[in-house]
């Protein structure tokens, strides 16, 4: 087991990539401190982990609210001990060209996607620094590298995660804390399944998405979870400040 005796704080565990990471990490021996605003599905993930013999503490937590994060970090550390793995998964998106976007829409995406990563790190790092052990993984996106019309706020939040990762890695490398990020391509999560279902021609949209990935299929949440596991565990102990792109080859081509 690659995460035996580790305590991992994972956000966005109710569904999609966060759910896959929480379940895989629990199977690998970690106790999971789980945060999500979706109480029903967040509880279901925790119950699945516990039914499999794993340990999980879930609280309905909005990762953009400082007091809620601080409370969950404290409860998690009290229940399982020092948190030594942090995976910041939560990210949201909506679509609007920049010239039609309200300031409130811009600020909401930046707060949930980027400020939340500052807040979880802010409250979890002191424990990692005291024990001189920790691995932090931020989930970014290929949209931090490539331009997709309609997503200026989302792209800005995801691009900033690369800089945050490099800066944090440099600051804490000598203290035993590593910081990396992952840039996924298009992954078949509930969010994207809903987009397909709402489209006038789901089959054509799906085929278009598949064509953007040279490997010829969409990603599955587990494809990203295995990357997060590598970055969280000691097998990646000489890696920090980097972005692991897991995208079916999408960013290898100038033509999408
Ligand atoms: N799915 C993709 O194709 C894709 C591609 C690249 C990057 N990503 C990134 O991966 C991450 C996960 O994406 P996903 O597709 O699994 O998303 P998802 O929408 O399927 O799941 C996101 C989870 O976050 C939770 N959440 C939303 N706002 C929250 C908040 N304020 N506080 C706590 N929980 C909150 C939701 O309830 C949900 O459970 C995101 O950061 C996303 O930007 C996804």
């Amino acid at each position: 087991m690659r995460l035996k005796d580790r305590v991992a704080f994972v956000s966005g565990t109710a569904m999609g990539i966060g759910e896959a990471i929480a379940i895989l990490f629990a199977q690998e021996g970690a106790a999971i401190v789980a945060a999500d605003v979706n109480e029903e599905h967040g509880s279901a993930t925790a119950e699945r982990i516990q039914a499999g013999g794993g340990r999980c503490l879930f609280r309905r937590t909005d990762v953009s609210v400082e007091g809620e994060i601080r409370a969950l970090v404290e409860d998690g550390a009290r229940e399982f001990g020092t948190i030594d793995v942090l995976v910041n998964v939560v990210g949201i998106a909506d679509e609007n060209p920049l010239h039609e976007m309200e300031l409130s829409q811009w600020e909401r995406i930046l707060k949930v996607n980027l400020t939340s990563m500052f807040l979880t790190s802010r409250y979890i790092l002191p424990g990692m620094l005291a024990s001189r052990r920790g691995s932090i993984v931020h989930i970014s996106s290929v949209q931090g590298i490539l331009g997709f019309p309609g997503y200026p706020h989302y792209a800005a939040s995801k691009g900033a995660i690369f800089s945050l990762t490099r800066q944090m890695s440099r600051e804490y490398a000598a203290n035993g804390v590593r910081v990396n990020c992952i840039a996924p391509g298009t992954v078949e999560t509930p969010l994207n399944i809903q987009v397909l279902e709402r489209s006038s021609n789901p089959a054509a949209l799906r085929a278009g998405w598949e064509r953007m990935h040279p490997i010829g299929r969409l990603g599955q949440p587990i494809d990203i979870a295995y990357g997060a596991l590598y970055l969280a565990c000691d097998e990646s102990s000489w890696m920090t400040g980097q972005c692991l792109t897991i995208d079916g080859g999408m960013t290898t081509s100038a033509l999408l």
Side-chain angles (χ1 to χ4, degrees):
M1 286 210 253
R2 291 196 150 77
L3 296 175
K4 194 168 176 301
D5 300 326
R6 300 289 165 93
V7 180
F9 185 108
V10 184
S11 73
T13 55
M15 61 185 74
I17 293 169
E19 177 190 11
I21 290 174
I23 289 171
L24 180 65
F25 280 26
Q27 287 166 351
E28 291 288 336
I32 308 297
V33 183
D36 204 291
V37 284
N38 185 326
E39 185 132 33
E40 185 191 346
H41 290 273
S43 301
T45 302
E47 283 159 20
R48 251 181 90 188
I49 289 171
Q50 287 153 359
R55 295 177 297 159
C56 182
L57 173 74
F58 168 71
R59 295 253 190 287
R60 188 203 175 277
T61 303
D62 184 333
V63 293
S64 65
V65 178
E66 183 173 14
E68 295 188 19
I69 290 178
R70 194 170 48 204
L72 182 58
V73 168
E74 286 170 4
D75 285 355
R78 209 175 299 120
E79 181 97 2
F80 299 131
T82 305
I83 293 166
D84 41 25
V85 173
L86 164 62
V87 192
N88 279 314
V89 182
V90 167
I92 57 172
D94 53 18
E95 199 178 337
N96 224 0
L98 191 144
H99 68 281
E100 291 173 3
M101 190 171 285
E102 299 294 338
L103 177 61
S104 57
Q105 189 181 359
W106 170 272
E107 287 182 337
R108 179 169 161 268
I109 297 292
L110 269 289
K111 194 169 186 188
V112 172
N113 292 8
L114 182 63
T115 307
S116 66
M117 300 201 173
F118 156 70
L119 287 172
T120 51
S121 304
R122 166 69 184 81
Y123 288 102
I124 288 172
L125 265 166
M128 290 180 169
L129 294 174
S131 62
R132 298 189 64 78
R133 181 170 89 167
S135 176
I136 298 177
V137 183
H138 302 306
I139 304 297
S140 177
S141 167
V142 293
Q143 283 188 253
I145 309 165
L146 305 169
F148 288 85
Y151 295 91
H153 49 352
Y154 183 76
S157 72
K158 293 300 184 182
I161 292 170
F162 302 136
S163 326
L164 178 68
T165 299
R166 275 192 294 273
Q167 192 282 339
M168 288 176 67
S169 69
R170 184 68 186 80
E171 183 138 13
Y172 300 114
N175 304 93
V177 178
R178 299 183 297 108
V179 186
N180 292 286
C181 69
I182 296 178
T186 312
V187 181
E188 200 167 348
T189 59
L191 188 80
N192 279 332
I193 290 167
Q194 280 168 21
V195 174
L196 285 171
E197 284 170 355
R198 278 199 305 269
S199 114
S200 55
N201 189 343
L205 181 59
R206 190 188 175 95
W209 284 357
E210 287 171 351
R211 269 196 306 278
M212 294 194 309
H213 302 77
I215 282 182
R217 68 166 174 89
L218 302 183
Q220 295 300 315
I222 193 68
D223 293 317
I224 311 305
Y226 282 128
L229 174 62
Y230 169 65
L231 294 175
C233 76
D234 290 342
E235 270 77 355
S236 62
S237 63
W238 206 47
M239 181 168 176
T240 196
Q242 303 304 310
C243 177
L244 190 58
T245 302
I246 307 177
D247 69 348
M250 186 189 208
T251 48
T252 59
S253 172
L255 297 173
L256 295 178

